[in-house]
Structures are given as C-alpha cells and as structure tokens.
Amino acid sequence: MKYVKEIGIIFGISCVGEALNRLLPFPVPSGVYGLFILLAVLLSGVIKVEHVEESGNWLLDTMPLMFVPVSVGLMDSFGELKAVLIPFVAISVLSTLIVMVITGLVAEWIIRRRNRKGGDES
C-alpha cells in the first residue's frame, strides 16, 4: 500500500503539471512543471522525501528502459539521419559535455556552500 501512495503522489503532481501545461501559454513541457511542483512541495515540507523516496528510486532505477523506444526510433530512421549524421553526432557530444561540465560545477558549488555552512573548511 505504501508504494501505491507514493506513486499516487508522484503521478498526482505530474497530473497537476499536465494541467498547468494546458492552461498556461508558455512553451514548457508538463514534466518540467511537475518537477518544479515536486521540488517546491519537498522544499516547503508539505511532502517529506520519505513519502516518495522508494518509488522515486524505483523510477530512477528503471529510467534506462525508457530510452529503448527512442533508440529503436533512431535506428529505424537512420536513412533520414544519415544525411546529417556528422552535425547530429557533434551536437550530441558537445551538448553532453556542456551538461557534464555545468553539472560538475554546480555540484562543486553546492559542496563548497554546504561545507561553509557546516563550519568545515576543507
């Protein structure tokens, strides 16, 4: 029953994000709205991490399966992709590197900030 409650919370927030996507005129995907809503309710303490942790971890663990249809779609449309393969690969590699660098810098910033707040000067 715990998992049903956790998944219900996550999917309920996703439904609110979907509703916002339909109501608001901004070009923001509904999943982004849902993630921001989930972040807001977690930070505000309305929902505790423990209320969604196990189901959230399971969703993260199964996330690679969600990329299988995309990969099959790319293989299926390889004929059309062949004409722009070099720019496609270059953009993919470049954007991946940019995301990795920015993620690393943000993680370092958060760690330094947390160490300063804790009084640990390492």
Side-chain angles (χ1 to χ4, degrees):
M1 209 55 184
K2 176 182 179 180
Y3 296 110
V4 173
K5 177 184 165 193
E6 290 183 8
I7 290 291
I9 292 170
I10 293 170
F11 286 165
I13 290 173
S14 295
C15 286
V16 172
E18 189 68 40
L20 283 176
N21 187 27
R22 293 179 189 269
L23 292 173
L24 299 176
F26 306 119
V28 177
S30 59
V32 174
Y33 283 128
L35 287 173
F36 279 122
I37 294 167
L38 182 61
L39 177 65
V41 295
L42 287 172
L43 288 175
S44 68
V46 173
I47 295 176
K48 305 278 188 253
V49 174
E50 299 82 33
H51 295 151
V52 293
E53 186 171 22
E54 288 187 43
S55 293
N57 285 337
W58 179 80
L59 288 169
L60 285 173
D61 290 343
T62 58
M63 188 171 54
L65 293 175
M66 307 305 167
F67 291 101
V68 172
V70 174
S71 302
V72 171
L74 281 174
M75 290 188 292
D76 191 40
S77 61
F78 184 72
E80 294 89 17
L81 192 60
K82 198 180 339 179
V84 292
L85 188 61
I86 291 175
F88 181 79
V89 170
I91 290 169
S92 297
V93 169
L94 184 63
S95 62
T96 300
L97 289 174
I98 290 170
V99 168
M100 289 172 64
V101 167
I102 291 173
T103 302
L105 291 172
V106 169
E108 284 180 356
W109 176 76
I110 290 171
I111 290 169
R112 272 191 247 116
R113 188 170 166 213
R114 186 175 292 162
N115 285 343
R116 268 189 250 136
K117 282 186 177 179
D120 182 22
E121 296 293 326
S122 54

